[in-house]
């Protein structure tokens, strides 16, 4: 079971998965997915909804059954009940094996903005003005970016068996450094991943630029025992 993210960061990942599927190297027929988040107020056909994003960039390109894909419903009438049902559905489906994550320039994961409880579960969150500005590039204007989202909580994310965080570009460098080397704090929700037993981070040079121990991480990578490279 896969936990999936939207935004610019995972686009290449989805392209690669689709290409591998086209080459018959990967089969999604038995895969179940749960997305991290959705804008409150946007229906699945809204051009900026994450449901539409997932259809366009991934689901339509692989053999995944629609009924196996789950995204919070931005139009849910009873949001707390919908969030509780989303949590239950994850558990009933067996829990997330691999959670794919991007990171916000403010250190959010999912849409758990700074100040989010590190034990939080799926719920309604209010976006920060910074995230609204960051995401305005997908809309005609910042005023059109919804103020609210339904997002898995930090606690929901920590329950995944493995996490893979992707971060590219210099705009993510400060958040990446705070996530990996800063104190664990609700001020940087991604820092909660320091408690995760199996979390990997994949960065480019620009996103790694503020890591104090970058040389050590390269050294670790160069000296990995063979059994760890598989
Ligand atoms: C999206 C999500 C967010 C994004 C983050 C980075 O589902 O959960 O946490 O991963 O806002 O967004 P991009 O990749 O657009 O920089």
């Amino acid at each position: 079971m896969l936990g999936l993210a939207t935004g610019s960061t995972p686009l290449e990942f989805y392209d690669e998965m689709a290409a591998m599927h086209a080459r018959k190297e990967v089969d999604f027929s038995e895969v179940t997915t749960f997305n991290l988040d959705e804008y409150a107020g946007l229906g699945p056909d809204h051009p900026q909804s994450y449901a539409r994003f997932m259809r366009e960039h991934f689901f339509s390109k692989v053999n995944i059954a629609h009924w196996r894909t789950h995204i919070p419903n931005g139009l849910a009438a009873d949001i707390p009940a919908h969030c509780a049902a989303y949590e239950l559905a994850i558990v009933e489906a067996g829990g997330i094996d691999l959670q794919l994550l991007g990171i916000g320039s403010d250190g959010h994961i999912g849409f758990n903005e700074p100040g989010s409880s590190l034990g939080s579960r799926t719920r309604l969150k209010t976006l920060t003005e910074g995230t609204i500005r960051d995401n305005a590039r997908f809309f005609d204007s910042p005023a059109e970016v919804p103020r609210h989202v339904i997002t898995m909580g930090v606690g929901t994310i920590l329950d995944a068996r493995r996490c893979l965080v992707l971060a590219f570009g210099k705009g993510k460098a400060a958040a990446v450094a705070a996530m990996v080397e800063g104190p664990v704090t609700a001020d940087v929700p991604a820092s909660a991943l320091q408690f995760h037993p199996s979390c990997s981070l994949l960065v480019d040079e620009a996103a790694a630029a503020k890591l104090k121990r970058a040389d050590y991480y390269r050294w670790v990578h160069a000296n990995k025992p063979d059994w760890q490279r598989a």
Side-chain angles (χ1 to χ4, degrees):
M1 185 153 104
L2 287 177
L4 299 177
T6 53
S8 307
T9 306
L11 285 174
E12 270 182 66
F13 174 87
Y14 292 137
D15 284 350
E16 185 56 27
M17 287 295 114
M20 287 175 74
H21 173 69
R23 296 196 298 267
K24 301 202 181 336
E25 291 167 8
V26 57
D27 171 28
F28 289 92
S29 61
E30 308 261 310
V31 172
T32 297
T33 64
F34 282 84
N35 265 75
L36 284 164
D37 38 30
E38 178 60 283
Y39 288 113
L42 301 194
D45 292 321
H46 188 285
Q48 307 311 338
S49 73
Y50 286 156
R52 175 94 166 250
F53 174 102
M54 290 308 300
R55 281 203 306 281
E56 272 178 26
H57 295 286
F58 188 47
F59 297 152
S60 63
K61 299 179 178 174
V62 296
N63 63 331
I64 193 159
H66 178 67
W67 67 270
R68 287 185 181 271
T69 67
H70 304 80
I71 302 179
N73 177 5
L75 298 180
D78 182 343
I79 291 180
H82 178 64
C83 293
Y86 201 71
E87 287 279 330
L88 190 62
I90 293 173
V91 172
E92 284 179 343
I96 292 170
D97 294 303
L98 175 66
Q99 177 65 57
L100 183 66
L101 294 160
I103 180 170
S105 57
D106 62 1
H108 68 230
I109 46 174
F111 274 128
N112 296 284
E113 296 284 34
S116 292
S117 155
L118 301 186
S120 50
R121 315 302 306 188
T122 304
R123 70 213 182 291
L124 187 81
K125 281 296 289 182
T126 306
L127 296 178
T128 62
E129 289 179 90
T131 298
I132 288 173
R133 270 195 305 277
D134 281 353
N135 288 8
R137 67 190 190 280
F138 299 110
F139 292 79
D140 289 336
S141 74
E144 284 180 37
V145 183
R147 278 6 181 194
H148 299 104
V149 288
I150 297 173
T151 180
M152 282 187 202
V154 179
T156 322
I157 292 168
L158 290 176
D159 282 350
R161 292 180 186 92
R162 292 205 61 183
C163 290
L164 172 62
V165 186
L166 307 179
F168 309 122
K170 64 176 191 306
K172 302 295 172 73
V176 164
M179 168 176 87
V180 177
E181 295 176 341
V184 174
T185 166
D187 223 26
V188 182
S191 66
L193 292 166
Q194 290 179 30
F195 282 125
H196 197 282
S198 186
C199 178
S200 305
L201 168 67
L202 192 68
V203 281
D204 61 7
E205 290 290 338
K210 295 196 172 166
L211 287 166
K212 286 190 305 244
R213 286 188 289 274
D215 287 345
Y216 174 64
Y217 306 139
R218 286 195 190 92
W219 166 258
V220 169
H221 191 70
N223 288 285
K224 265 186 191 290
D226 286 343
W227 62 268
Q228 276 190 344
R229 291 182 183 278

